[in-house]
Amino acid sequence: MDQRGRSAVRLDRDFRWEGESRPSRRQELFVAGEHGQVYPLLAEDARLDRSSDLTTLFETARTHLLIDVP
């Protein structure tokens, strides 16, 4: 995956917190920085139905994510 010309890895996963019966969804993006840093972007939502805005929120944040900017 590419994030504005940088190597990136995206993970989308469903999971359950310990003691919770409802699953949660997490979207993560890890972007390689210029000097070996890794920049993470994380969005998580406990609602796994169509009312969740998680994907829209994540994509908006990803669009505006700036890497290696002082």
Side-chain angles (χ1 to χ4, degrees):
M1 172 172 236
D2 182 72
Q3 174 66 27
R4 293 188 178 195
R6 304 277 185 183
S7 294
V9 173
R10 180 175 173 164
L11 300 173
D12 295 335
R13 55 191 170 145
D14 296 342
F15 67 97
R16 284 191 174 83
W17 287 105
E18 185 175 343
E20 295 288 327
S21 60
R22 275 180 70 173
S24 294
R25 174 162 292 150
R26 178 179 287 172
Q27 293 178 325
E28 299 172 287
L29 180 71
F30 300 95
V31 184
E34 197 170 300
H35 301 287
Q37 312 94 316
V38 175
Y39 295 88
L41 174 63
L42 166 68
E44 187 175 301
D45 196 343
R47 296 179 310 180
L48 293 182
D49 56 21
R50 293 187 184 269
S51 68
S52 175
D53 292 326
L54 179 66
T55 299
T56 302
L57 173 68
F58 184 82
E59 289 304 325
T60 299
R62 182 176 171 231
T63 299
H64 298 289
L65 180 64
L66 298 176
I67 303 300
D68 295 329
V69 177

